[in-house]
Amino acid sequence: MTTTRTAPGAPAAGANGGITYREAMRAALREALAKDERVFLMGEDVGRYGGCFAVSLGLLEEFGPERIRDTPLSESAFVGAGIGAALAGMRPIVEIMTVNFSLLALDQILNNAATLSHMSGGQFGVPLVIRMTTGAGRQLAAQHSHSLEGWYTHIPGLRIVAPATLEDARGMLWTALADPDPVLIFEHGSLYTLSGELPPGAGAVDIDRAAVRRPGSDVSLITYGGTLHKTLEAAGRLASEGVEAEVLDLRSLRPLDDATIMDSVRRTHRAVVVDEAWRSGSLSAEISARVTEQVFYELDAPVARVCGVEIPIPYPRHLEEAAVPQPDDVVAAAHRVVSGDA
Amino acid sequence: MTTKKTVKTDPGGAAGEAARTAGGAARDAAAKERRSLLHEMLRIRRFEERCVELYSAAEIRGFMHLYIGEEAVAAGVMPELGPEDAVVTTYREHGHALARGIPAEAIMAEMFGRSTGCSRGRGGSMHLFDAATRFYGGNAIVAGGLPLAVGLALADRMRGADRVTACFLGDGAAAEGEFHECLNLAALWRLPVLFVCENNQYAMGTALAREHAETDLALRASSYGLVAWAVDGMDALAVSAAARRAAEAVRWGGGPHFLEMRTYRYRAHSMYDPDRYRTKAEIEEWRRHDPIDALAARLRADGDLGGDDLAAMDKEIAAEIDGAVKAARKAPLEPVADLTRFVYSERAVRP
């Protein structure tokens, strides 16, 4: 059960006087703890250490050890304890350092959190929030870098969200806490230092709907989480090359917002799914299938996918970069579907 | 009995002796309590004997795990819990559910997969749930219920409620990682959990000594800083006394307690199990310590059980079970239109 924990180092200060994704997430936690006394945060190093990724830094001093609760390295026990506490009416937020470690708690997440409501005939609900990081990009090698959120989207009874922007980092937690069912929040590790301005009134956001982050008419680039910003960069380059790409941020991975996806494809007639996870049996496969099922006759080209290379993520930077989608890959795929060479 | 280690009888068992020698109202109350213990054990056994018939007649399906032989544990522990306490248990839980007060009718209907079942027919034998009695299942993953119990107790602890969460587990669970994670966490945070380990000597078909390097489970539990002791799980009075003492200690802040109930199941692990891993002689040896026979003999010797009393109990129980079976047969099935209900909370508004 012991896995190497990598120290994250000090939190990056909000560059340019703005706020970081990490700080937005912390503000959301602080608000949740202040607003509802049933809320508590539990996980590995969330207290004295300040959070494995420094998200919960300072919260222990503010809210005390009862509500900012350091746990042993016992993923199954503390995730399951979160489920039990939620069953009893609390609103736990459980932090797992990375999705890789969540596999040690998979039994509790799948066999209990996701099933108790149905199996009890609706008598019990599990209003639990589980936060964890996902994704590559920090040279942490194969046991700390995978994108397994797509696996979790397979499971009925769970709700899966992926905040990719500062607004969503600030707002999704509260919406997740208000949900009577278990919600898993996947935070891509490369996003914590993302910085920008957040409107002063930023708060709860709708987590049911995908968002069009950039409108366009030639191709729909469908993505979420860590690859959103790479995809936006690709869209900028495509525009300078004469291709207007629409960028869709899924935000909610389960349930998928079919309506927004299909509306976009109906406008552009072409789709590229960008997903850092492996292609085989993936969320990108699901999205591609749904597009084919629902708007096949609107398509001018087969749906294309830009996914992670099917290898365990390697350590050296050049190999890691080559293993996951980069803006170049997205640009190339978009050109292929637009030119009909797909 | 063939347990390797000597079973320490809980000193609280002396309470029964005291009651016996006390006079008047106290003595009557004690006798009533002991008769009720006998009644509950008999009720659990008869309920399951009927389940066997119904299973053979294909009216009950799926995996079904019988508790016959272990009745003293559920019957002895449950009366020591209050209505606000919580129960988390395993897939061998008919006895726990009955003793906790879930109506036999709702349990039987669940076995039949009917909508009047305590889980609306969606769980079956292994997944009995009941919000009214804080009965949180019915967990069919070995040791899967332990983290839930820790969490329920954590919630009580954080809210300052003097509630107990009783967590039933088998000896097989002691080999799972969750056993160690949860005992550690419960002890570390001094959570109000009463772990009741039903050591029936076999994890499915594997004997204790074939799967554990250290077979003294109470000893292992105590290594986590819990108060733990072994109890003769075939002696309903010993179970009851131990449970009373432990539950009270847990309730008043004594931290988690662990009771290893040394018991035995006469029947196979499940209805599919050909039971080739043990001898008939071994089963017979344990049957000689049958918890129902033993308590009945003791009550008779004390003059608290008359010649016809047991037969009268049996008749009353048979009528209750007949009623439950009749009601289950007549009960409606869930409409297929409701197939996808309860996957998500019906309070939630979904796109």
Side-chain angles (χ1 to χ4, degrees):
Chain A
M1 195 126 313
T2 314
T3 320
T4 310
R5 262 64 180 177
T6 309
N16 314 321
I19 184 172
T20 60
Y21 182 97
R22 168 185 289 123
E23 289 161 349
M25 189 59 78
R26 186 185 305 140
L29 284 168
R30 182 182 288 120
E31 178 198 42
L33 287 154
K35 236 171 154 171
D36 186 343
E37 60 182 23
R38 297 173 303 173
V39 172
F40 65 100
L41 175 68
M42 169 163 67
E44 293 151 336
D45 278 343
V46 298
R48 279 143 195 94
Y49 190 91
C52 296
F53 295 94
V55 171
S56 50
L57 196 66
L59 297 181
L60 174 68
E61 289 70 24
E62 207 170 326
F63 296 99
E66 278 283 294
R67 298 184 69 202
I68 307 296
R69 197 168 269 271
D70 279 321
T71 62
L73 308 185
S74 304
E75 286 82 359
S76 195
F78 71 73
V79 171
I83 298 168
L87 280 170
M90 301 293 279
R91 291 290 181 276
I93 303 168
V94 174
E95 178 178 311
I96 304 176
M97 189 179 155
T98 84
V99 66
N100 307 77
F101 310 155
S102 77
L103 304 183
L104 296 162
L106 189 55
D107 163 57
Q108 287 298 319
I109 297 171
L110 170 50
N111 285 318
N112 281 335
T115 59
L116 284 170
S117 167
H118 186 77
M119 218 160 53
S120 68
Q123 290 180 85
F124 295 117
V126 182
L128 169 71
V129 173
I130 304 175
R131 298 175 40 238
M132 62 184 109
T133 57
T134 185
R138 291 160 295 147
Q139 287 194 261
L140 302 179
Q143 291 179 344
H144 287 65
S145 301
H146 288 141
S147 295
L148 305 179
E149 56 277 7
W151 287 8
Y152 285 100
T153 66
H154 183 63
I155 304 170
L158 300 182
R159 171 168 199 131
I160 312 296
V161 299
T165 64
L166 294 174
E167 290 81 357
D168 282 355
R170 178 69 180 84
M172 274 190 180
L173 181 74
W174 186 252
T175 323
L177 282 166
D179 197 293
D181 296 311
V183 182
L184 274 57
I185 303 180
F186 285 89
E187 302 161 18
H188 195 286
S190 69
L191 292 176
Y192 289 119
T193 52
L194 179 77
S195 68
E197 296 296 329
L198 196 61
V205 294
D206 168 17
I207 59 175
D208 292 331
R209 298 274 166 229
V212 175
R213 299 294 183 197
R214 178 194 171 110
S217 51
D218 296 331
V219 57
S220 298
L221 306 179
I222 303 166
T223 190
Y224 67 91
T227 43
L228 173 67
H229 304 278
K230 291 177 178 175
T231 304
L232 284 167
E233 187 187 326
R237 282 171 39 195
L238 284 163
S240 69
E241 293 159 13
V243 173
E244 286 303 324
E246 178 151 299
V247 177
L248 212 64
D249 174 5
L250 292 170
R251 304 172 74 240
S252 168
L253 310 186
R254 183 185 183 101
L256 280 169
D257 177 8
D258 284 0
T260 303
I261 297 171
M262 303 314 154
D263 282 352
S264 176
V265 177
R266 276 191 202 98
R267 279 194 301 275
T268 64
H269 309 289
R270 295 173 186 90
V272 176
V273 187
V274 185
D275 183 2
E276 195 175 303
W278 298 305
R279 181 187 308 253
S280 304
S282 64
L283 182 62
S284 65
E286 176 66 26
I287 294 164
S288 172
R290 288 191 190 203
V291 169
T292 307
E293 286 165 351
Q294 295 177 42
V295 291
F296 180 74
Y297 294 106
E298 297 283 347
L299 288 174
D300 285 346
V303 177
R305 287 188 282 162
V306 179
C307 295
V309 178
E310 305 221 358
I311 53 167
I313 300 289
Y315 159 71
R317 180 167 297 285
H318 70 293
L319 291 183
E320 185 184 43
E321 283 174 358
V324 297
Q326 300 299 341
D328 282 349
D329 305 315
V330 180
V331 168
H335 278 308
R336 280 199 303 276
V337 297
V338 170
S339 67
D341 294 341
Chain B
M1 244 180 285
T2 52
T3 30
K4 208 177 79 180
K5 302 262 168 25
T6 315
V7 174
K8 282 179 283 181
T9 305
D10 169 53
E17 292 295 321
R20 226 150 28 100
T21 50
R27 196 199 171 284
D28 288 348
K32 198 176 162 206
E33 217 171 272
R34 295 197 296 169
R35 271 201 305 271
S36 132
L37 203 48
L38 181 67
H39 182 275
E40 197 58 49
M41 287 197 289
L42 199 60
R43 182 170 171 257
I44 295 169
R45 182 162 301 181
R46 296 292 182 250
F47 183 92
E48 291 207 316
E49 286 168 350
R50 181 67 65 86
C51 288
V52 174
E53 291 167 21
L54 294 163
Y55 197 92
S56 305
E59 289 191 79
I60 296 174
R61 298 278 73 192
F63 272 144
M64 185 169 84
H65 308 84
L66 299 172
Y67 197 58
I68 293 174
E70 302 184 33
E71 295 91 344
V73 182
V77 172
M78 291 304 174
E80 308 308 328
L81 302 176
E84 291 296 304
D85 292 340
V87 177
V88 175
T89 180
T90 71
Y91 50 83
R92 195 183 302 284
E93 88 280 34
H94 307 152
H96 306 124
L98 284 163
R100 181 59 180 162
I102 307 178
E105 207 171 298
I107 299 170
M108 192 58 87
E110 187 60 33
M111 315 277 278
F112 275 69
R114 306 290 167 146
S115 66
T116 52
C118 59
S119 308
R120 295 181 80 114
R122 283 170 168 76
S125 164
M126 299 192 287
H127 304 295
L128 306 175
F129 288 92
D130 182 45
T133 55
R134 297 196 78 213
F135 196 88
Y136 293 94
N139 203 306
I141 306 293
V142 170
L146 275 68
L148 300 185
V150 166
L152 289 160
L154 173 62
D156 289 339
R157 179 69 190 267
M158 290 181 78
R159 287 185 298 218
D162 54 3
R163 290 165 159 182
V164 173
T165 296
C167 179
F168 291 85
L169 60 144
D171 47 290
E176 296 278 1
E178 278 169 331
F179 175 88
H180 306 279
E181 292 190 21
C182 290
L183 263 54
N184 176 55
L185 202 53
L188 182 72
W189 290 350
R190 290 185 66 76
L191 298 178
V193 187
L194 172 59
F195 292 102
V196 182
C197 178
E198 299 180 319
N199 176 2
N200 66 14
Q201 319 299 325
Y202 289 90
M204 298 197 291
T206 302
L208 199 65
R210 289 189 180 279
E211 58 150 354
H212 292 293
E214 171 53 68
T215 56
D216 187 333
L217 303 181
L219 177 70
R220 283 165 64 184
S222 67
S223 77
Y224 287 101
L226 294 140
V227 180
W229 74 92
V231 181
D232 179 355
M234 304 301 271
D235 178 347
L237 298 178
V239 169
S240 161
R244 180 168 306 177
R245 196 162 72 124
E248 273 179 21
V250 171
R251 191 179 312 282
W252 303 117
H257 279 51
F258 184 99
L259 298 177
E260 181 197 343
M261 303 291 185
R262 294 187 178 166
T263 181
Y264 199 77
R265 58 169 163 75
Y266 306 157
R267 310 276 312 195
H269 167 69
S270 79
M271 299 302 285
Y272 287 96
D273 168 12
D275 210 353
R276 293 192 192 103
Y277 44 82
R278 55 185 188 172
T279 63
K280 288 203 163 54
E282 180 186 300
I283 301 169
E284 282 316 306
E285 173 64 18
W286 279 87
R287 276 187 190 276
R288 295 201 300 112
H289 300 273
D290 184 76
I292 295 175
D293 294 348
L295 185 60
R298 184 147 175 198
L299 288 177
R300 269 195 208 98
D302 293 349
D304 290 331
L305 192 70
D308 302 332
D309 286 358
L310 205 57
M313 268 186 202
D314 238 339
K315 201 172 160 195
E316 182 199 324
I317 288 166
E320 184 195 6
I321 296 171
D322 282 344
V325 174
K326 281 197 188 102
R329 283 184 179 138
K330 278 193 298 196
L333 293 164
E334 283 274 88
V336 173
D338 285 352
L339 178 67
T340 58
R341 284 184 71 191
F342 313 122
V343 175
Y344 293 97
S345 165
E346 300 195 343
R347 287 174 290 155
V349 181
R350 298 278 158 206

